[in-house]
């Protein structure tokens, strides 16, 4: 194995970044970057804690991440499985990152910063949907914001519906849990009941 063990060796392999890759990074949310955030219905949240790293999908209606000002973002923590891995990490290590995707756009937006968990009643209620407020809101102060070019999306052909995998090809969550469970678990029933259960607990 030819393992790279120094920054100098790494930079010797890749060379200098193009000027646009440096210029595009800011510490704040520009009007152009705000447009990406407000159009995005899906983001990946990366956090770090004593147990290691975590990357969690976050999805909602476009603009679900609120731009408060040029250095502040707010994101509701909608209902889920209560593992709260990301939240545990943020409480102990405020460093966080977001990767925003916009369906149909090859470009993505990357945001790095520091976050806290806020449970103020008024703030939570401001994110309520159909009368359901999130139990907490992630408040992030930005430190680096920049657009990512479309190469990864183009290579993956991500938005091409002809490349979408047909239902039944991948194992279902119920099948996975049943295979890993030490106790009896009805995976088929879990999968069958999930759509109705999700509709009741979406918000």
């Amino acid at each position: 194995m030819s393992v790279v063990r120094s920054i100098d060796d790494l930079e010797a392999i890749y060379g200098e970044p193009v000027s646009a890759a440096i210029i595009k990074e800011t510490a704040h949310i520009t009007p152009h970057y705000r447009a990406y955030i407000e159009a995005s219905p899906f983001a990946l949240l990366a956090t770090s804690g004593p147990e290691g790293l975590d990357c969690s999908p976050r999805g909602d209606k476009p603009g679900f991440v609120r731009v408060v000002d040029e250095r502040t973002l707010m994101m509701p923590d909608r209902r889920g499985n209560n593992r709260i891995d990301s939240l545990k990490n943020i409480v102990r290590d405020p460093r966080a990152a977001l990767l925003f995707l916009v369906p149909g756009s090859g470009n993505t937006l990357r945001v790095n910063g520091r976050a806290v968990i806020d449970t103020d009643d008024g703030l939570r209620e401001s994110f309520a949907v159909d009368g359901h407020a999130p139990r907490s809101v992630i408040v992030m102060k930005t430190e680096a914001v920049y657009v990512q070019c479309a190469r990864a999306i183009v290579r993956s052909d991500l938005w091409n519906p002809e490349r979408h995998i047909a239902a039944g090809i991948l194992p279902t969550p119920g099948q996975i849990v049943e295979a890993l469970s030490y106790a009896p678990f009805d995976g088929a029933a879990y999968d069958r009941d999930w759509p109705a259960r999700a509709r009741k607990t979406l918000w």
Side-chain angles (χ1 to χ4, degrees), residues 21-55:
I22 303 301
I23 295 170
K24 67 185 180 181
E25 180 179 335
T26 72
H28 62 282
I29 303 162
T30 69
H32 297 95
Y33 290 161
R34 179 172 188 150
Y36 274 87
I37 296 169
E38 292 181 342
S40 174
F42 183 84
L44 297 168
L45 171 65
T47 57
S48 176
E51 291 83 17
L53 304 176
D54 184 70
C55 187

mmCIF file of all heavy atoms in Angstrom, residues 21-55:
data_model
loop_
_atom_site.group_PDB
_atom_site.id
_atom_site.type_symbol
_atom_site.label_atom_id
_atom_site.label_comp_id
_atom_site.label_asym_id
_atom_site.label_seq_id
_atom_site.Cartn_x
_atom_site.Cartn_y
_atom_site.Cartn_z
ATOM 1 N N ALA A 21 -12.047 27.801 -6.696
ATOM 2 C CA ALA A 21 -12.324 26.964 -5.532
ATOM 3 C C ALA A 21 -12.017 27.690 -4.234
ATOM 4 O O ALA A 21 -12.596 27.374 -3.186
ATOM 5 C CB ALA A 21 -11.511 25.674 -5.611
ATOM 6 N N ILE A 22 -11.139 28.663 -4.296
ATOM 7 C CA ILE A 22 -10.792 29.460 -3.117
ATOM 8 C C ILE A 22 -11.704 30.671 -2.993
ATOM 9 O O ILE A 22 -12.209 30.984 -1.913
ATOM 10 C CB ILE A 22 -9.321 29.914 -3.190
ATOM 11 C CG1 ILE A 22 -8.391 28.699 -3.326
ATOM 12 C CG2 ILE A 22 -8.957 30.747 -1.968
ATOM 13 C CD1 ILE A 22 -8.482 27.716 -2.202
ATOM 14 N N ILE A 23 -11.942 31.320 -4.105
ATOM 15 C CA ILE A 23 -12.734 32.546 -4.103
ATOM 16 C C ILE A 23 -14.161 32.305 -3.618
ATOM 17 O O ILE A 23 -14.753 33.135 -2.925
ATOM 18 C CB ILE A 23 -12.754 33.174 -5.514
ATOM 19 C CG1 ILE A 23 -11.344 33.629 -5.911
ATOM 20 C CG2 ILE A 23 -13.736 34.338 -5.589
ATOM 21 C CD1 ILE A 23 -11.231 34.034 -7.362
ATOM 22 N N LYS A 24 -14.726 31.137 -3.954
ATOM 23 C CA LYS A 24 -16.139 30.878 -3.669
ATOM 24 C C LYS A 24 -16.446 30.702 -2.192
ATOM 25 O O LYS A 24 -17.601 30.755 -1.782
ATOM 26 C CB LYS A 24 -16.603 29.639 -4.433
ATOM 27 C CG LYS A 24 -15.953 28.340 -3.955
ATOM 28 C CD LYS A 24 -16.369 27.171 -4.823
ATOM 29 C CE LYS A 24 -15.727 25.859 -4.352
ATOM 30 N NZ LYS A 24 -16.109 24.724 -5.214
ATOM 31 N N GLU A 25 -15.424 30.478 -1.347
ATOM 32 C CA GLU A 25 -15.662 30.242 0.074
ATOM 33 C C GLU A 25 -15.795 31.550 0.834
ATOM 34 O O GLU A 25 -14.958 32.439 0.718
ATOM 35 C CB GLU A 25 -14.532 29.412 0.690
ATOM 36 C CG GLU A 25 -14.754 29.138 2.172
ATOM 37 C CD GLU A 25 -13.661 28.287 2.785
ATOM 38 O OE1 GLU A 25 -13.002 27.527 2.051
ATOM 39 O OE2 GLU A 25 -13.460 28.393 4.010
ATOM 40 N N THR A 26 -16.863 31.653 1.623
ATOM 41 C CA THR A 26 -17.071 32.805 2.495
ATOM 42 C C THR A 26 -17.416 32.304 3.892
ATOM 43 O O THR A 26 -17.742 31.139 4.084
ATOM 44 C CB THR A 26 -18.218 33.705 1.994
ATOM 45 O OG1 THR A 26 -19.473 33.041 2.221
ATOM 46 C CG2 THR A 26 -18.076 34.035 0.511
ATOM 47 N N ALA A 27 -17.346 33.202 4.855
ATOM 48 C CA ALA A 27 -17.747 32.836 6.222
ATOM 49 C C ALA A 27 -19.226 33.090 6.447
ATOM 50 O O ALA A 27 -19.787 32.648 7.453
ATOM 51 C CB ALA A 27 -16.931 33.635 7.235
ATOM 52 N N HIS A 28 -19.859 33.775 5.508
ATOM 53 C CA HIS A 28 -21.256 34.156 5.689
ATOM 54 C C HIS A 28 -22.107 33.668 4.523
ATOM 55 O O HIS A 28 -21.588 33.175 3.518
ATOM 56 C CB HIS A 28 -21.375 35.678 5.823
ATOM 57 C CG HIS A 28 -20.916 36.412 4.601
ATOM 58 N ND1 HIS A 28 -19.587 36.606 4.304
ATOM 59 C CD2 HIS A 28 -21.608 36.993 3.585
ATOM 60 C CE1 HIS A 28 -19.467 37.276 3.176
ATOM 61 N NE2 HIS A 28 -20.686 37.520 2.725
ATOM 62 N N ILE A 29 -23.402 33.813 4.664
ATOM 63 C CA ILE A 29 -24.361 33.384 3.648
ATOM 64 C C ILE A 29 -24.634 34.547 2.706
ATOM 65 O O ILE A 29 -25.283 35.524 3.087
ATOM 66 C CB ILE A 29 -25.669 32.904 4.306
ATOM 67 C CG1 ILE A 29 -25.375 31.768 5.296
ATOM 68 C CG2 ILE A 29 -26.672 32.453 3.254
ATOM 69 C CD1 ILE A 29 -26.488 31.533 6.283
ATOM 70 N N THR A 30 -24.132 34.448 1.500
ATOM 71 C CA THR A 30 -24.365 35.486 0.505
ATOM 72 C C THR A 30 -25.779 35.329 -0.069
ATOM 73 O O THR A 30 -26.406 34.281 0.103
ATOM 74 C CB THR A 30 -23.345 35.379 -0.640
ATOM 75 O OG1 THR A 30 -23.630 34.176 -1.384
ATOM 76 C CG2 THR A 30 -21.909 35.355 -0.109
ATOM 77 N N PRO A 31 -26.293 36.336 -0.777
ATOM 78 C CA PRO A 31 -27.607 36.173 -1.411
ATOM 79 C C PRO A 31 -27.660 34.969 -2.358
ATOM 80 O O PRO A 31 -28.686 34.284 -2.433
ATOM 81 C CB PRO A 31 -27.784 37.488 -2.165
ATOM 82 C CG PRO A 31 -27.005 38.488 -1.361
ATOM 83 C CD PRO A 31 -25.806 37.727 -0.883
ATOM 84 N N HIS A 32 -26.571 34.698 -3.072
ATOM 85 C CA HIS A 32 -26.540 33.544 -3.972
ATOM 86 C C HIS A 32 -26.642 32.242 -3.191
ATOM 87 O O HIS A 32 -27.374 31.318 -3.581
ATOM 88 C CB HIS A 32 -25.254 33.549 -4.796
ATOM 89 C CG HIS A 32 -25.121 34.723 -5.711
ATOM 90 N ND1 HIS A 32 -24.423 35.850 -5.355
ATOM 91 C CD2 HIS A 32 -25.605 34.947 -6.959
ATOM 92 C CE1 HIS A 32 -24.470 36.717 -6.338
ATOM 93 N NE2 HIS A 32 -25.180 36.197 -7.323
ATOM 94 N N TYR A 33 -25.915 32.150 -2.082
ATOM 95 C CA TYR A 33 -25.941 30.936 -1.285
ATOM 96 C C TYR A 33 -27.273 30.780 -0.565
ATOM 97 O O TYR A 33 -27.754 29.666 -0.352
ATOM 98 C CB TYR A 33 -24.777 30.930 -0.298
ATOM 99 C CG TYR A 33 -23.426 30.746 -0.967
ATOM 100 C CD1 TYR A 33 -22.245 31.092 -0.328
ATOM 101 C CD2 TYR A 33 -23.334 30.215 -2.249
ATOM 102 C CE1 TYR A 33 -21.008 30.912 -0.946
ATOM 103 C CE2 TYR A 33 -22.114 30.041 -2.878
ATOM 104 C CZ TYR A 33 -20.961 30.380 -2.222
ATOM 105 O OH TYR A 33 -19.749 30.191 -2.829
ATOM 106 N N ARG A 34 -27.860 31.887 -0.200
ATOM 107 C CA ARG A 34 -29.187 31.831 0.428
ATOM 108 C C ARG A 34 -30.208 31.202 -0.522
ATOM 109 O O ARG A 34 -31.087 30.437 -0.095
ATOM 110 C CB ARG A 34 -29.629 33.229 0.833
ATOM 111 C CG ARG A 34 -31.014 33.258 1.478
ATOM 112 C CD ARG A 34 -31.345 34.612 2.050
ATOM 113 N NE ARG A 34 -32.589 34.573 2.812
ATOM 114 C CZ ARG A 34 -32.870 35.345 3.837
ATOM 115 N NH1 ARG A 34 -31.991 36.263 4.242
ATOM 116 N NH2 ARG A 34 -34.007 35.227 4.476
ATOM 117 N N ALA A 35 -30.083 31.478 -1.811
ATOM 118 C CA ALA A 35 -31.013 30.919 -2.788
ATOM 119 C C ALA A 35 -30.950 29.392 -2.799
ATOM 120 O O ALA A 35 -31.986 28.719 -2.922
ATOM 121 C CB ALA A 35 -30.689 31.468 -4.178
ATOM 122 N N TYR A 36 -29.754 28.834 -2.648
ATOM 123 C CA TYR A 36 -29.614 27.381 -2.596
ATOM 124 C C TYR A 36 -30.279 26.810 -1.346
ATOM 125 O O TYR A 36 -30.987 25.804 -1.398
ATOM 126 C CB TYR A 36 -28.132 26.985 -2.598
ATOM 127 C CG TYR A 36 -27.533 26.874 -3.977
ATOM 128 C CD1 TYR A 36 -26.993 27.982 -4.611
ATOM 129 C CD2 TYR A 36 -27.510 25.654 -4.655
ATOM 130 C CE1 TYR A 36 -26.444 27.894 -5.875
ATOM 131 C CE2 TYR A 36 -26.955 25.551 -5.921
ATOM 132 C CZ TYR A 36 -26.423 26.673 -6.522
ATOM 133 O OH TYR A 36 -25.879 26.573 -7.780
ATOM 134 N N ILE A 37 -30.035 27.443 -0.206
ATOM 135 C CA ILE A 37 -30.601 26.954 1.048
ATOM 136 C C ILE A 37 -32.122 26.990 1.014
ATOM 137 O O ILE A 37 -32.793 26.035 1.436
ATOM 138 C CB ILE A 37 -30.065 27.784 2.230
ATOM 139 C CG1 ILE A 37 -28.547 27.585 2.365
ATOM 140 C CG2 ILE A 37 -30.762 27.404 3.535
ATOM 141 C CD1 ILE A 37 -27.885 28.543 3.332
ATOM 142 N N GLU A 38 -32.676 28.067 0.496
ATOM 143 C CA GLU A 38 -34.133 28.214 0.488
ATOM 144 C C GLU A 38 -34.801 27.320 -0.549
ATOM 145 O O GLU A 38 -36.002 27.054 -0.446
ATOM 146 C CB GLU A 38 -34.488 29.677 0.257
ATOM 147 C CG GLU A 38 -34.082 30.560 1.446
ATOM 148 C CD GLU A 38 -34.449 32.018 1.270
ATOM 149 O OE1 GLU A 38 -34.696 32.431 0.098
ATOM 150 O OE2 GLU A 38 -34.484 32.753 2.272
ATOM 151 N N ALA A 39 -34.048 26.820 -1.522
ATOM 152 C CA ALA A 39 -34.613 25.924 -2.527
ATOM 153 C C ALA A 39 -34.444 24.458 -2.160
ATOM 154 O O ALA A 39 -35.055 23.583 -2.783
ATOM 155 C CB ALA A 39 -33.955 26.176 -3.887
ATOM 156 N N SER A 40 -33.654 24.187 -1.120
ATOM 157 C CA SER A 40 -33.311 22.800 -0.808
ATOM 158 C C SER A 40 -34.328 22.135 0.116
ATOM 159 O O SER A 40 -34.627 22.645 1.196
ATOM 160 C CB SER A 40 -31.929 22.747 -0.144
ATOM 161 O OG SER A 40 -31.638 21.436 0.280
ATOM 162 N N PRO A 41 -34.814 20.932 -0.269
ATOM 163 C CA PRO A 41 -35.679 20.152 0.617
ATOM 164 C C PRO A 41 -34.926 19.039 1.335
ATOM 165 O O PRO A 41 -35.533 18.247 2.047
ATOM 166 C CB PRO A 41 -36.696 19.552 -0.358
ATOM 167 C CG PRO A 41 -35.864 19.276 -1.577
ATOM 168 C CD PRO A 41 -34.803 20.367 -1.632
ATOM 169 N N PHE A 42 -33.593 18.982 1.121
ATOM 170 C CA PHE A 42 -32.836 17.859 1.671
ATOM 171 C C PHE A 42 -31.402 18.283 1.969
ATOM 172 O O PHE A 42 -30.754 18.952 1.160
ATOM 173 C CB PHE A 42 -32.816 16.697 0.672
ATOM 174 C CG PHE A 42 -32.120 15.458 1.183
ATOM 175 C CD1 PHE A 42 -32.803 14.549 1.972
ATOM 176 C CD2 PHE A 42 -30.797 15.214 0.873
ATOM 177 C CE1 PHE A 42 -32.168 13.402 2.437
ATOM 178 C CE2 PHE A 42 -30.154 14.074 1.334
ATOM 179 C CZ PHE A 42 -30.851 13.165 2.127
ATOM 180 N N ALA A 43 -30.930 17.896 3.152
ATOM 181 C CA ALA A 43 -29.554 18.200 3.536
ATOM 182 C C ALA A 43 -28.991 17.053 4.352
ATOM 183 O O ALA A 43 -29.724 16.301 4.993
ATOM 184 C CB ALA A 43 -29.495 19.505 4.338
ATOM 185 N N LEU A 44 -27.687 16.921 4.328
ATOM 186 C CA LEU A 44 -26.981 15.955 5.162
ATOM 187 C C LEU A 44 -26.282 16.716 6.275
ATOM 188 O O LEU A 44 -25.576 17.695 6.014
ATOM 189 C CB LEU A 44 -25.959 15.179 4.332
ATOM 190 C CG LEU A 44 -26.559 14.330 3.209
ATOM 191 C CD1 LEU A 44 -25.465 13.832 2.274
ATOM 192 C CD2 LEU A 44 -27.336 13.157 3.786
ATOM 193 N N LEU A 45 -26.500 16.266 7.513
ATOM 194 C CA LEU A 45 -25.917 16.909 8.688
ATOM 195 C C LEU A 45 -24.785 16.040 9.215
ATOM 196 O O LEU A 45 -25.012 14.889 9.609
ATOM 197 C CB LEU A 45 -26.982 17.102 9.762
ATOM 198 C CG LEU A 45 -26.485 17.570 11.142
ATOM 199 C CD1 LEU A 45 -25.882 18.971 11.060
ATOM 200 C CD2 LEU A 45 -27.620 17.532 12.161
ATOM 201 N N ALA A 46 -23.572 16.584 9.242
ATOM 202 C CA ALA A 46 -22.416 15.864 9.768
ATOM 203 C C ALA A 46 -22.020 16.444 11.115
ATOM 204 O O ALA A 46 -21.971 17.666 11.284
ATOM 205 C CB ALA A 46 -21.246 15.955 8.793
ATOM 206 N N THR A 47 -21.766 15.553 12.082
ATOM 207 C CA THR A 47 -21.358 15.977 13.421
ATOM 208 C C THR A 47 -20.246 15.053 13.919
ATOM 209 O O THR A 47 -19.975 14.005 13.335
ATOM 210 C CB THR A 47 -22.541 15.920 14.412
ATOM 211 O OG1 THR A 47 -23.073 14.582 14.432
ATOM 212 C CG2 THR A 47 -23.636 16.907 14.020
ATOM 213 N N SER A 48 -19.637 15.470 15.017
ATOM 214 C CA SER A 48 -18.533 14.699 15.588
ATOM 215 C C SER A 48 -18.699 14.627 17.097
ATOM 216 O O SER A 48 -19.069 15.613 17.740
ATOM 217 C CB SER A 48 -17.192 15.359 15.241
ATOM 218 O OG SER A 48 -16.120 14.687 15.861
ATOM 219 N N GLY A 49 -18.405 13.442 17.664
ATOM 220 C CA GLY A 49 -18.500 13.273 19.109
ATOM 221 C C GLY A 49 -17.486 12.268 19.599
ATOM 222 O O GLY A 49 -16.700 11.724 18.815
ATOM 223 N N PRO A 50 -17.488 11.988 20.904
ATOM 224 C CA PRO A 50 -16.513 11.053 21.476
ATOM 225 C C PRO A 50 -16.553 9.664 20.854
ATOM 226 O O PRO A 50 -15.532 8.982 20.785
ATOM 227 C CB PRO A 50 -16.906 11.004 22.953
ATOM 228 C CG PRO A 50 -17.626 12.281 23.207
ATOM 229 C CD PRO A 50 -18.347 12.597 21.939
ATOM 230 N N GLU A 51 -17.734 9.238 20.392
ATOM 231 C CA GLU A 51 -17.843 7.914 19.792
ATOM 232 C C GLU A 51 -17.450 7.898 18.322
ATOM 233 O O GLU A 51 -17.361 6.839 17.704
ATOM 234 C CB GLU A 51 -19.276 7.374 19.925
ATOM 235 C CG GLU A 51 -19.687 7.034 21.341
ATOM 236 C CD GLU A 51 -20.158 8.256 22.121
ATOM 237 O OE1 GLU A 51 -20.472 9.291 21.485
ATOM 238 O OE2 GLU A 51 -20.199 8.174 23.361
ATOM 239 N N GLY A 52 -17.234 9.080 17.735
ATOM 240 C CA GLY A 52 -16.860 9.151 16.331
ATOM 241 C C GLY A 52 -17.742 10.107 15.553
ATOM 242 O O GLY A 52 -18.380 10.994 16.116
ATOM 243 N N LEU A 53 -17.778 9.914 14.245
ATOM 244 C CA LEU A 53 -18.508 10.803 13.351
ATOM 245 C C LEU A 53 -19.915 10.290 13.088
ATOM 246 O O LEU A 53 -20.211 9.114 13.245
ATOM 247 C CB LEU A 53 -17.753 10.929 12.028
ATOM 248 C CG LEU A 53 -16.303 11.399 12.104
ATOM 249 C CD1 LEU A 53 -15.675 11.379 10.728
ATOM 250 C CD2 LEU A 53 -16.221 12.787 12.723
ATOM 251 N N ASP A 54 -20.775 11.200 12.640
ATOM 252 C CA ASP A 54 -22.140 10.833 12.284
ATOM 253 C C ASP A 54 -22.576 11.706 11.117
ATOM 254 O O ASP A 54 -22.210 12.880 11.032
ATOM 255 C CB ASP A 54 -23.088 11.030 13.471
ATOM 256 C CG ASP A 54 -24.502 10.565 13.140
ATOM 257 O OD1 ASP A 54 -24.698 9.345 13.016
ATOM 258 O OD2 ASP A 54 -25.392 11.412 12.992
ATOM 259 N N CYS A 55 -23.344 11.117 10.207
ATOM 260 C CA CYS A 55 -23.913 11.877 9.090
ATOM 261 C C CYS A 55 -25.371 11.474 8.970
ATOM 262 O O CYS A 55 -25.680 10.293 8.793
ATOM 263 C CB CYS A 55 -23.153 11.593 7.798
ATOM 264 S SG CYS A 55 -23.663 12.646 6.420
#
